[in-house]
Each structure stands twice: as structure tokens, then as C-alpha cells.
């Protein structure tokens, strides 16, 4: 497993601070590429991405890929680790949806996943983390990251940092909706 260094922790914390400033000063859609790029570089991951939830019909929940940063040398896009959009029900993601929606990280190493779950992910995925983005108390979507180079156990500091950025993103979306309602 990859060692988590004090230098890496400090880079991630600086990214959280930067994200707070940028998301408070800039519309969230415009700020998102820079936030994801800095978070991905600081955490030393292959990808950082955002998915937004929406209805899939018949009461099912669909998540749609909205933004992504990909590290140099990593191929692919449009979700890369998971399909560009997917329904949580009927594909084996039900348990993940429950975990993410209740503010618990999904942090599996690919080798620990059952074969059905593993088949849903891109073959290069070695580790994955996902944190909920909540808007006005409702589960809006998730911020995630994938590591294609290492199986890793995400440290508490990494999990807390990803959740802090997800929380800031949720607050930025609330501000955007409130401003739009005033216009």
C-alpha cells in the first residue's frame, strides 16, 4: 500500500483551503476544474470526478458524470472509472448508494470487491473513494477519486479532506441556487 506522507497531507489541506476560497468567490461550475485538478494532484490520484443525481424513471436514481480531472498519462474520460451515467439500482450499487447518501465514504480496493461489482468499474481501477455532496439536506451527488496505480487504504485525513471539499461544493451549489432565485 502507498504510504501517506506529511507532505502529502499538507498539500491536501492547502487544497481544501484553496477550494474554500475559490468556491466562495466563483460560480461553482467555473471553479470546479481547478478544484478537481488541485485535489487530484495533492492526493496523488489518477482521477477526481463529480457525479450529479437525478431521476432515472420509475423512481430509480441515476447519477450523471458532470466534471472530471485526469492525471497526466491516464487515458480516458467521461467518467473513466464508472460509466458516464448509471442507475444505482439493479447493477450492484445499491449498498454504495446507501453508504454515500448517509455520509460514509466508499473506499474499496478493487481486489476486495465481489466479481459483479468489479465488472462495473473500469479495469484499471485499483482504489476508489466517494463522498456525498448534499444540497439543502438532500443527496445531490458525489465527489470521487480513483487510483489506477496503487491499491490504497485511504487515510482518515484524506477521507476528511475529500468530504470537506464535497461539503464546500454543496454549499457553493446552494449559493448558486439562491442567487438564481433572486434574479
Amino acid at each position: 500500500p502507498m504510504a501517506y506522507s506529511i507532505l502529502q497531507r499538507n498539500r491536501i489541506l492547502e487544497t481544501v483551503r484553496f477550494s474554500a476560497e475559490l468556491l466562495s468567490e466563483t460560480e461553482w461550475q467555473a471553479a470546479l476544474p481547478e478544484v478537481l485538478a488541485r485535489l487530484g494532484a495533492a492526493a496523488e490520484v489518477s482521477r477526481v470526478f463529480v457525479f450529479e443525481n437525478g431521476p432515472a424513471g420509475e423512481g430509480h436514481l441515476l447519477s450523471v458524470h458532470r466534471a472530471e480531472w485526469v492525471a497526466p498519462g491516464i487515458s480516458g474520460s467521461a467518467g473513466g472509472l464508472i460509466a458516464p451515467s448509471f442507475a444505482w439500482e439493479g447493477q450492484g450499487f445499491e449498498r454504495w448508494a446507501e453508504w454515500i447518501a448517509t455520509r460514509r465514504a466508499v473506499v474499496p480496493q478493487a481486489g476486495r470487491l465481489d466479481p459483479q461489482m468489479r465488472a462495473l468499474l473500469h479495469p484499471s481501477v485499483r482504489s476508489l473513494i466517494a463522498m456525498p455532496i448534499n444540497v439543502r439536506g438532500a443527496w445531490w451527488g458525489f465527489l470521487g477519486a480513483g487510483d489506477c496505480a496503487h491499491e490504497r487504504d485511504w487515510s482518515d485525513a484524506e477521507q476528511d479532506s475529500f468530504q470537506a471539499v464535497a461539503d464546500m461544493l454543496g454549499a457553493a451549489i446552494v449559493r448558486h441556487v439562491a442567487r438564481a432565485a433572486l434574479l
Side-chain angles (χ1 to χ4, degrees), residues 47-123:
R47 288 183 171 84
V48 181
F49 45 87
V50 171
F51 278 78
E52 180 181 356
N53 294 334
E58 298 183 26
H60 294 292
L61 182 63
L62 176 76
S63 283
V64 178
H65 178 261
R66 292 295 179 210
E68 180 176 46
W69 168 84
V70 180
I74 301 296
S75 63
S77 190
L81 299 173
I82 304 172
S85 67
F86 62 93
W88 289 91
E89 295 87 3
Q91 296 189 59
F93 285 115
E94 293 88 350
R95 186 177 40 178
W96 287 16
E98 290 174 21
W99 287 338
I100 297 172
T102 58
R103 302 186 60 82
R104 290 172 38 189
V106 175
V107 292
Q109 291 181 1
R112 296 181 187 167
L113 294 174
D114 64 56
Q116 178 188 11
M117 295 291 290
R118 181 71 188 111
L120 297 172
L121 299 176
H122 190 276

Side-chain angles (χ1 to χ4, degrees), residues 102-175:
T102 58
R103 302 186 60 82
R104 290 172 38 189
V106 175
V107 292
Q109 291 181 1
R112 296 181 187 167
L113 294 174
D114 64 56
Q116 178 188 11
M117 295 291 290
R118 181 71 188 111
L120 297 172
L121 299 176
H122 190 276
S124 67
V125 175
R126 307 273 309 271
S127 298
L128 185 67
I129 185 172
M131 297 294 183
I133 299 169
N134 292 301
V135 173
R136 294 186 174 151
W139 182 36
W140 179 92
F142 64 94
L143 167 71
D147 193 329
C148 297
H150 305 94
E151 285 194 349
R152 64 198 280 173
D153 291 316
W154 303 89
S155 72
D156 288 342
E158 287 174 306
Q159 292 181 47
D160 291 346
S161 297
F162 273 90
Q163 188 60 64
V165 173
D167 290 345
M168 287 181 262
L169 183 54
I173 293 167
V174 168
R175 281 192 302 277

Side-chain angles (χ1 to χ4, degrees), residues 5-77:
S5 71
I6 292 174
L7 179 61
Q8 183 184 16
R9 179 189 63 91
N10 290 342
R11 285 193 309 261
I12 292 172
L13 290 175
E14 173 57 25
T15 298
V16 170
R17 185 203 58 76
F18 168 83
S19 298
E21 287 180 17
L22 187 62
L23 288 169
S24 68
E25 298 171 359
T26 309
E27 288 297 330
W28 72 272
Q29 297 99 327
L32 199 53
E34 183 67 20
V35 168
L36 298 183
R38 286 187 180 228
L39 186 57
E44 300 176 7
V45 295
S46 304
R47 288 183 171 84
V48 181
F49 45 87
V50 171
F51 278 78
E52 180 181 356
N53 294 334
E58 298 183 26
H60 294 292
L61 182 63
L62 176 76
S63 283
V64 178
H65 178 261
R66 292 295 179 210
E68 180 176 46
W69 168 84
V70 180
I74 301 296
S75 63
S77 190

